[in-house]
Amino acid sequence: SQRLLDVTIRAFKDSGRIFGVTYDMTRIAQLEKLQNDFVGNVSHELKTPITSLIGFTETLLDGAKDDPQTLESFLKIMQKDAYRLQSLVQEIIQTSKNTDVNYVTTSVNVADLANKIVDDYAAVIQEKHLNVIITGPEELVFNTKIELFKPICKNLIENAIHYASSEGKIDITFYQENDHLIFSVQDDGIGIKQQEQERIFERFYRVDKARSRNSGGNGLGLAIVKDYSEILGGKVQIDSYPGVGSTFTVTLPSL
Ligand code: ADP
């Protein structure tokens, strides 16, 4: 059992999180299960694009490269796999950062940040004919850790764009109340059933695995939103109805 304890503590240190040392074996066993699930999920997620990359490389080397059209279409698939691996690795690093000590507090103009994030998705927004509206005081400056605040906003906006119906409307709203920032993202997309609403914040949990995979998701986005909101001393709330849409609201204290 000492070995189990050592392994568990080492595993959590490796993942960048230092947990209080506990000798409660039930808790240790639970942590080990969480860690095993996480490793299992990560390996599973990594395997798919890697298997695809190997398969396409081998086929190209076996002669398929001599046909320019095949070459081009295979390279495009391989590029997609590589991007998928890149974003997965980035998000895994994000979910295991020792986040509370490293970052300094700065003043963030929320309207500018929201506009910048939306601009990054201009191509998808245009393709899906979405109407994205940002509402909030242009001059609002919020004191926070940008390295944590930006991924929160980015993941919520990205989800709204992914899960919105075509020609849908997305409302990004923010305002300050006392010492808190209220930042919410509303879409009129597919919505989420009541019984799924708690689970979607778990790492790697996806309501519809096939559809999420097609849209490039990996089930880490909302886990990052929840973790980072809590590290910043805030919380995230969901209000969602299937077929009507979802609203995610983050409430964060000014630092
Ligand atoms: P993903 O990368 O799959 O989007 P997330 O952690 O961001 O992972 O979200 C987890 C799951 O929650 C998604 O797979 C999806 O099923 C559901 N979800 C998240 N945001 C929305 C939304 N705005 N509308 C509907 N479903 C959503």
Side-chain angles (χ1 to χ4, degrees):
S1 69
Q2 183 56 44
R3 205 191 74 82
L4 176 66
L5 179 66
D6 286 340
V7 169
T8 309
I9 292 169
R10 185 151 31 82
F12 277 98
K13 277 189 177 154
D14 286 346
S15 78
R17 288 167 185 238
I18 312 296
F19 278 63
V21 177
T22 161
Y23 291 90
D24 176 347
M25 293 312 289
T26 329
R27 180 82 188 120
I28 290 165
Q30 276 171 1
L31 288 179
E32 190 170 65
K33 184 179 180 312
L34 270 180
Q35 186 73 16
N36 283 340
D37 287 351
F38 181 66
V39 173
N41 279 324
V42 169
S43 339
H44 179 78
E45 292 295 323
L46 291 173
K47 260 185 212 156
T48 313
I50 290 174
T51 309
S52 166
L53 277 172
I54 292 173
F56 281 104
T57 321
E58 282 175 354
T59 314
L60 285 178
L61 290 174
D62 279 350
K65 68 177 186 325
D66 299 332
D67 174 38
Q69 263 183 352
T70 311
L71 179 64
E72 164 114 18
S73 76
F74 280 17
L75 282 175
K76 280 194 178 140
I77 300 172
M78 291 164 72
Q79 185 185 38
K80 232 174 142 185
D81 289 328
Y83 281 137
R84 185 167 173 74
L85 280 172
Q86 185 186 43
S87 88
L88 187 63
V89 168
Q90 267 168 3
E91 296 217 313
I92 290 167
I93 293 168
Q94 281 187 332
T95 57
S96 56
K97 257 183 203 164
N98 188 1
T99 32
D100 39 357
V101 285
N102 295 338
Y103 301 126
V104 290
T105 301
T106 54
S107 307
V108 180
N109 180 298
V110 182
D112 284 352
L113 179 70
N115 271 300
K116 250 186 232 144
I117 296 171
V118 170
D119 278 351
D120 287 341
Y121 295 94
V124 200
I125 292 171
Q126 209 173 11
E127 199 181 306
K128 286 183 82 173
H129 301 285
L130 300 174
N131 183 13
V132 182
I133 298 165
I134 303 174
T135 312
E138 249 171 64
E139 67 291 344
L140 198 161
V141 167
F142 180 59
N143 293 334
T144 191
K145 298 180 180 186
I146 184 78
E147 288 89 346
L148 303 179
F149 181 58
K150 188 178 173 187
I152 294 175
C153 303
K154 181 191 154 274
N155 282 309
L156 291 180
I157 293 172
E158 183 179 295
N159 280 346
I161 291 171
H162 270 146
Y163 299 105
S165 41
S166 123
E167 297 186 10
K169 183 166 172 248
I170 294 171
D171 269 305
I172 301 167
T173 314
F174 60 89
Y175 59 95
Q176 190 149 6
E177 200 172 70
N178 303 320
D179 257 1
H180 284 73
L181 178 79
I182 324 286
F183 182 93
S184 81
V185 182
Q186 176 172 36
D187 66 64
D188 57 3
I190 55 172
I192 303 156
K193 284 193 204 124
Q194 180 81 38
Q195 63 264 38
E196 307 271 11
Q197 290 183 11
E198 229 170 86
R199 300 217 59 195
I200 54 170
F201 292 98
E202 292 171 18
R203 290 194 275 190
F204 294 109
Y205 189 81
R206 288 176 294 216
V207 176
D208 177 342
K209 292 179 175 39
R211 185 185 45 216
S212 307
R213 190 182 294 282
N214 285 338
S215 66
N218 52 38
L220 287 172
L222 286 178
I224 292 172
V225 170
K226 183 165 183 275
D227 276 5
Y228 286 13
S229 299
E230 286 171 4
I231 292 167
L232 288 171
K235 61 176 182 189
V236 50
Q237 283 164 286
I238 173 178
D239 194 18
S240 182
Y241 303 92
V244 179
S246 313
T247 308
F248 288 86
T249 305
V250 176
T251 308
L252 301 170
S254 174
L255 298 177

